[in-house]
Amino acid sequence: MFQNRAEALALALPAAIFAAAVFLVPVIILLSDGFRDPVGGWTISAYTDFFSNSLNQTVFLRTLRLGAIVTVVSAVIGYAAAFAIVSLEPATKGKITGLVVLPLMISPVARTYAWIVILGRTGIVNQAFQALGITDAPLRILFSETAIFIGLLQLFLPLMIISLISALENMPKDAIPAARVLGANWFQVFWKVVLPLTKEGLVIGGTLVFTGSLTAYITPAILGGSKVLMLETLMYQQVSVSGNFVAASVIAFILIVMSFAANILLKRVATARNKVRSQG
Amino acid sequence: MNSNTLARSLFIPIILFLVIAFLIGPFLIIVAASFSAGDTLAFPPQGFSLRWIAKVFTVESFRASFGMSLFLAIGGTAAALVLGIPASYALSRYKLPGAEVIRTVVSAPIIVPGIIVGLALLRYIVVPFQVGITLALFLAHTALVLPYAVRVVSASLDNLRSDIEEAAVLLGSSRTGAFFRVVMPNIRGGILSAFILGFVTSFNQVPVSLFLSGPGVRTLPVDMIAYMEIVFDPSVAALSALLAFLSIGIVFAAERFLGFSRYV
Amino acid sequence: MSDASYLSLQKLTLAYGDTVAVPDLDLDIAKGELIALLGPSGCGKTTTMRAVAGLLPVKSGHVRLDGADITHVSPNKRAVGLVFQSYALFPHLSVYENVAFGLKLKGLRGAELDKKVRSGLTSVGLSTFADRKPAELSGGQQQRVALARSMVMEPKVLLLDEPLSNLDARLRLEMRTELQRVQKETGVTMIFVTHDQAEALALADRIVVMKAGKIEQIGSPEDIYNRPVSSFVADFVGFENIFPLENGRLRTASGLEELSSQPPSAAGLAWRPRMVSLGTGPFRGTVRGTSFAGDSREYLLDTPLGAIKAEVEASAPAHPLGAELAFDLPAHKAAPLSTFS
């Protein structure tokens, strides 16, 4: 550790000042807009207005609901996939993990665009359904919550899987056989042993997926269209269509509060675990 | 083989097949669709041609926005590294007053949704200070990449013993000289990894750039979204496929030559 | 400058922020001496060494070397070498380039540079390893590279941080011999920091025992080993039975105890386990523990004085656990301590 403070500040301050000037200060001013009373002083009337509008309520609840469903479904699929992957031979495991991570490198626009081909009116799903005689007329899958759900799940599932893979790999090797020897069935093994021991990874993955889903723009923009809005697309509309910057500020604040809440939850759970560990 | 191991030996390949089909399949469909000979986006593709891939290169707005995205990804990441490397060095090697505050400030752009950053920049930098859109985009992408740069460079600095700098100084080097002679050569892999991660992040970024567009100034992904709202031909698929191969190629090369995943 | 104060620390005060680690230290070291700074972790030995190297700014006081005040000379201009505990080799450079690093900065080039690097490598027996990277060497080899890298700079003082602690027992002996040889051949003044008394005793001309930033005792290995001046030093060099002395009597767990013979006047007395006479004497104790160490056998006794450790020849008859034994703490064998803490 070097002691020279002036040197340290000279090195660190340019980045900090840049981030503060270009990012922190403008964002704080933007967030404060929603609390500013046009006649002076502060008010939360913009928030009461926002939540009294039924369209806004729908969008807010939809965003929360989609975030929650995507997180839960990706956790369920994530555990199955992570279990399957950690049980592979090391060489195969590396390749499969690479395939899971690969989509993260591809532009979200490209990844989301693919669903138009699959879910569209003449897309593969509708072709298959009609060929199999499940439906007569093409189903409207695109521009719905289902389409957004599928898009978000595909976008964020890799984050959950890799979080759970590393959690499962860090689990004590003998935990599962030990529990089996003690007479636990597979359900009990998962509930009483695996889940507590991988909680940290689940929380990390869950936070990434949840905040990612809340704040996704591309997926609802492409797969939800202008009718099925989420908070981010609503915010974009408020600015570019209505020029309502106060509403945009309110949405921004809600998004940030929800992201931070998820982040704090993550840290809580992680430190709670650390405490237990240091006591034991 | 009892029923238990039979179930497991079936379960694993089925799960993996389904998950990977879900994750990779859509991308493969995009690739296939981009070789279509038809006029609209469809799968299975109607015939085979390279016309849509060729068309990508002739669309003027794609060329301009590709140039813009490339400039932002390279310039923004380079700027983020110029700011981020000294900051990471200070955070990892010095006893710095307010280190946690500084770390939080430089990493904050990663937590706040990009659309908010873009809007805040538009309203409180671009408009009041009469900043050009290109410069605003550059600032935004630099701020966006800065957290990644600091995180990856810090990680590789933390893996490097700090006493080698002291050793270099005792052998006659100045402090600055020690940084360039013994620190830089040893964190080069980390810096390159940070560059690649920053490049991919910046290049694929949409929400930050949404509000920051002006006449003829747009990033490529924003341009693609605008294009696909108007035209439903396979050229966006072709472009998506090309970009995906570009990203994958860069990341694969990085992994192969640098062991990229060690740093990310 | 006298010969006895080639390197001189005068009223040296060192601090990390506001925490003073070393207050008012005075120490004179002669040219060509091999000095050990000995003490437990946190005693200020490493802090002192870093200040001599210039890696830690001095709060007050002076460092003088070879007649010049170097207190505020930057570390790259001090002609002080340091072999780090971790060796701190540059991982991206070959062994040859590591050794050449400082010489190149001095402006050496071509044949002259090559000659110095080669002879440096030869002197530590690594001439065939010139093209290896540090990661391809064993710990002992890495340390020899670090030694050569410092020595080719012809430093006025060579500092070594725990030079033997990362080596296994066999290499430790080898390295010890190596350091003594280098010191003899070059006449360089060497200061090494260690927490291991055996290392200090085996290697140093003079040992400086430090405690809480202050010098507790300076002396030859014989002095330190046989005539510790304080209870701290006595404990550190293996006197396990240490008692304060009050009016010629021992202060023990059960009050003041008369010794079998008249003790010298001192603040305390200390006995090594083998200085305790077992079998006869005015005191009684019960065997609580016993361990066999080849040549000798050690007993841990529960006594009214407190716990006593005694060591006898292994050939003497063994006593079982729980046996009650008489013993004596002979005053004439004890090391008299002038300070007791």
Side-chain angles (χ1 to χ4, degrees):
Chain A
M1 272 293 192
F2 304 131
Q3 303 282 321
N4 191 329
R5 280 185 185 191
E7 235 173 75
L9 287 173
L11 291 168
L13 279 185
I17 290 170
F18 176 84
V22 168
F23 161 80
L24 207 55
V25 172
V27 166
I28 287 170
I29 299 175
L30 178 84
L31 295 179
S32 72
D33 282 352
F35 295 98
R36 200 165 283 141
D37 199 324
V39 297
W42 303 95
T43 172
I44 57 158
S45 65
Y47 286 82
T48 49
D49 288 354
F50 178 84
F51 280 110
S52 62
N53 178 317
S54 70
L55 168 73
N56 292 344
Q57 285 172 11
T58 311
V59 172
F60 175 77
L61 290 176
R62 176 185 295 136
T63 305
L64 265 184
R65 183 169 59 236
L66 277 169
I69 295 174
V70 171
T71 308
V72 170
V73 173
S74 71
V76 172
I77 301 177
Y79 266 114
F83 261 120
I85 289 172
V86 294
S87 68
L88 296 170
E89 299 290 313
T92 330
K93 185 163 74 183
K95 282 183 192 124
I96 299 288
T97 310
L99 281 179
V100 170
V101 178
L102 185 75
L104 293 176
M105 307 300 165
I106 301 175
S107 162
V109 173
R111 291 168 67 190
T112 309
Y113 187 64
W115 292 111
I116 295 181
V117 189
I118 298 168
L119 303 176
R121 201 158 253 282
T122 56
I124 302 164
V125 173
N126 269 322
Q127 286 178 37
F129 279 10
Q130 281 168 293
L132 294 170
I134 299 173
T135 55
D136 297 332
L139 285 176
R140 188 183 161 80
I141 313 172
L142 216 54
F143 309 125
S144 69
E145 262 186 47
T146 313
I148 300 178
F149 162 75
I150 292 172
L152 290 175
L153 185 66
Q154 198 240 8
L155 214 51
F156 296 117
L157 182 59
L159 298 176
M160 179 64 92
I161 296 178
I162 52 180
S163 300
L164 290 177
I165 288 176
S166 72
L168 285 175
E169 281 180 340
N170 288 332
M171 204 170 70
K173 259 208 183 89
D174 301 329
I176 293 177
R180 292 286 287 163
V181 168
L182 292 170
N185 64 34
W186 282 111
F187 177 76
Q188 288 167 323
V189 166
F190 180 79
W191 203 249
K192 295 261 162 77
V193 179
V194 176
L195 195 61
L197 285 174
T198 55
K199 192 169 67 179
E200 216 164 333
L202 178 63
V203 171
I204 292 172
T207 310
L208 289 171
V209 174
F210 186 69
T211 53
S213 302
L214 288 187
T215 61
Y217 172 81
I218 299 164
T219 309
I222 296 179
L223 299 180
S226 55
K227 294 275 159 30
V228 186
L229 294 172
M230 283 178 74
L231 280 175
E232 284 235 358
T233 40
L234 177 64
M235 179 177 165
Y236 182 74
Q237 266 200 358
Q238 292 289 352
V239 172
S240 60
V241 180
S242 335
N244 187 346
F245 289 106
V246 175
S249 165
V250 169
I251 298 170
F253 191 76
I254 294 169
L255 283 172
I256 287 182
V257 167
M258 296 200 311
S259 311
F260 271 74
N263 265 294
I264 288 166
L265 187 79
L266 158 76
K267 281 192 180 142
R268 267 277 173 81
V269 176
T271 46
R273 257 186 76 85
N274 283 341
K275 265 183 206 149
V276 171
R277 198 178 286 158
S278 66
Q279 280 164 3
Chain B
M1 195 185 270
N2 63 34
S3 65
N4 214 328
T5 50
L6 181 70
R8 284 188 57 158
S9 61
L10 278 175
F11 164 82
I12 289 171
I14 288 173
I15 282 289
L16 290 177
F17 174 79
L18 289 176
V19 166
I20 286 171
F22 178 64
L23 292 176
I24 308 280
F27 167 64
L28 298 178
I29 286 170
I30 278 285
V31 174
S34 62
F35 288 106
S36 168
D39 288 335
T40 57
L41 188 63
F43 187 89
Q46 304 138 329
F48 175 86
S49 85
L50 295 175
R51 61 187 272 222
W52 299 110
I53 290 172
K55 192 197 166 190
V56 167
F57 295 94
T58 64
V59 176
E60 185 55 43
S61 83
F62 283 164
R63 277 169 35 192
S65 59
F66 177 79
M68 174 56 74
S69 277
L70 204 59
F71 159 72
L72 292 174
I74 293 173
T77 305
L81 283 170
V82 167
L83 291 168
I85 293 170
S88 311
Y89 187 69
L91 288 170
S92 101
R93 293 293 192 267
Y94 286 84
K95 211 171 159 179
L96 183 61
E100 274 318 298
V101 176
I102 292 176
R103 196 185 292 278
T104 307
V105 169
V106 298
S107 340
I110 219 172
I111 313 171
V112 175
I115 194 168
I116 299 172
V117 181
L119 181 61
L121 221 68
L122 174 73
R123 295 208 66 201
Y124 299 107
I125 302 275
V126 173
V127 176
F129 298 106
Q130 298 288 303
V131 172
I133 290 292
T134 308
L135 178 59
L137 277 171
F138 175 76
L139 295 176
H141 280 244
T142 304
L144 179 82
V145 173
L146 187 60
Y148 296 95
V150 170
R151 197 183 75 196
V152 176
V153 174
S154 292
S156 65
L157 277 171
D158 292 343
N159 282 334
L160 185 68
R161 301 195 60 95
S162 62
D163 48 16
I164 63 167
E165 289 143 75
E166 297 181 337
V169 167
L170 287 169
L171 292 168
S173 181
S174 66
R175 282 293 307 283
T176 320
F179 178 80
F180 287 104
R181 286 193 188 94
V182 304
V183 179
M184 279 294 263
N186 286 303
I187 60 166
R188 216 166 32 196
I191 291 174
L192 270 168
S193 298
F195 190 90
I196 290 159
L197 185 65
F199 182 95
V200 172
T201 305
S202 163
F203 201 93
N204 291 337
Q205 172 64 33
V206 169
V208 161
S209 323
L210 270 181
F211 293 119
L212 302 173
S213 59
V217 185
R218 250 184 197 165
T219 66
L220 183 57
V222 174
D223 201 28
M224 283 163 72
I225 294 176
Y227 184 92
M228 71 175 79
E229 275 165 9
I230 304 163
V231 190
F232 199 63
D233 71 19
S235 58
V236 172
L239 183 51
S240 296
L242 287 174
L243 290 178
F245 280 119
L246 188 71
S247 305
I248 293 168
I250 291 172
V251 171
F252 258 75
E255 176 62 44
R256 182 139 179 86
F257 296 114
L258 300 171
F260 184 59
S261 53
R262 269 185 300 154
Y263 301 100
V264 184
Chain C
M1 181 205 95
S2 73
D3 235 21
S5 55
Y6 182 68
L7 174 67
S8 174
L9 311 182
Q10 299 165 342
K11 296 244 162 285
L12 198 63
T13 300
L14 304 171
Y16 293 101
D18 292 331
T19 321
V20 173
V22 174
D24 270 341
L25 186 87
D26 284 297
L27 180 62
D28 285 303
I29 292 167
K31 187 166 184 169
E33 257 194 307
L34 208 174
I35 295 279
L37 293 183
L38 174 65
S41 67
C43 74
K45 57 188 195 298
T46 305
T47 308
T48 306
M49 184 196 69
R50 289 176 64 81
V52 171
L55 295 173
L56 182 74
V58 169
K59 187 146 190 162
S60 66
H62 296 276
V63 181
R64 300 180 68 86
L65 176 59
D66 197 9
D69 188 331
I70 59 162
T71 315
H72 301 293
V73 173
S74 58
N76 53 346
K77 299 192 171 68
R78 283 198 178 196
V80 172
L82 172 55
V83 176
F84 288 81
Q85 183 174 11
S86 66
Y87 321 134
L89 297 180
F90 308 130
H92 63 300
L93 298 179
S94 69
V95 167
Y96 183 97
E97 291 166 316
N98 262 280
V99 176
F101 187 90
L103 295 171
K104 278 189 192 163
L105 287 168
K106 260 188 181 172
L108 261 63
R109 293 286 181 274
E112 198 188 353
L113 173 72
D114 190 60
K115 198 179 135 218
K116 286 221 172 185
V117 175
R118 298 270 173 216
S119 87
L121 286 174
T122 308
S123 77
V124 294
L126 287 175
S127 47
T128 55
F129 292 83
D131 297 327
R132 300 264 187 106
K133 286 281 172 66
E136 300 163 350
L137 301 181
S138 70
Q141 290 167 333
Q142 289 187 33
Q143 182 158 46
R144 297 216 292 273
V145 176
L147 183 63
R149 185 176 70 175
S150 290
M151 285 308 294
V152 293
M153 299 298 287
E154 293 162 18
K156 289 178 173 167
V157 176
L158 181 66
L159 307 168
L160 301 114
D161 190 2
E162 302 274 2
L164 307 178
S165 65
N166 285 350
L167 305 176
D168 63 39
R170 193 178 51 81
L171 278 174
R172 212 173 270 200
L173 184 65
E174 209 171 274
M175 199 64 209
R176 208 189 268 172
T177 323
E178 179 99 3
L179 287 175
Q180 281 169 324
R181 184 183 59 77
V182 167
Q183 205 257 345
K184 197 144 286 167
E185 280 172 8
T186 60
V188 67
T189 307
M190 270 191 195
I191 303 175
F192 72 98
V193 153
T194 180
H195 65 274
D196 181 347
Q197 49 122 351
E199 215 168 84
L201 293 168
L203 198 50
D205 297 333
R206 234 165 19 121
I207 296 173
V208 179
V209 184
M210 292 184 73
K211 178 200 173 189
K214 296 195 172 118
I215 293 176
E216 191 83 359
Q217 184 173 4
I218 305 181
S220 67
E222 289 79 8
D223 282 338
I224 302 290
Y225 190 77
N226 294 322
R227 291 175 289 281
V229 297
S230 68
S231 55
F232 173 78
V233 179
D235 183 43
F236 207 73
V237 297
F239 287 80
E240 309 233 21
N241 308 300
I242 306 174
F243 296 94
L245 207 54
E246 277 175 37
N247 303 322
R249 294 193 291 180
L250 283 194
R251 162 66 64 192
T252 71
S254 58
L256 291 177
E257 291 282 351
E258 209 58 71
L259 284 164
S260 56
S261 57
Q262 185 59 34
S265 84
L269 293 179
W271 289 267
R272 290 184 179 281
R274 70 179 146 70
M275 294 170 171
V276 177
S277 314
L278 215 54
T280 56
F283 306 116
R284 305 219 151 258
T286 315
V287 177
R288 268 286 154 262
T290 170
S291 65
F292 176 68
D295 293 348
S296 62
R297 191 185 297 277
E298 203 171 64
Y299 291 100
L300 179 65
L301 303 177
D302 249 1
T303 81
L305 310 182
I308 292 286
K309 257 194 194 165
E311 185 186 307
V312 295
E313 299 256 317
S315 54
H319 305 289
L321 284 179
E324 190 147 317
L325 298 178
F327 69 93
D328 190 17
L329 299 171
H332 66 278
K333 285 189 179 170
L337 311 173
S338 58
T339 54
F340 198 97
S341 52

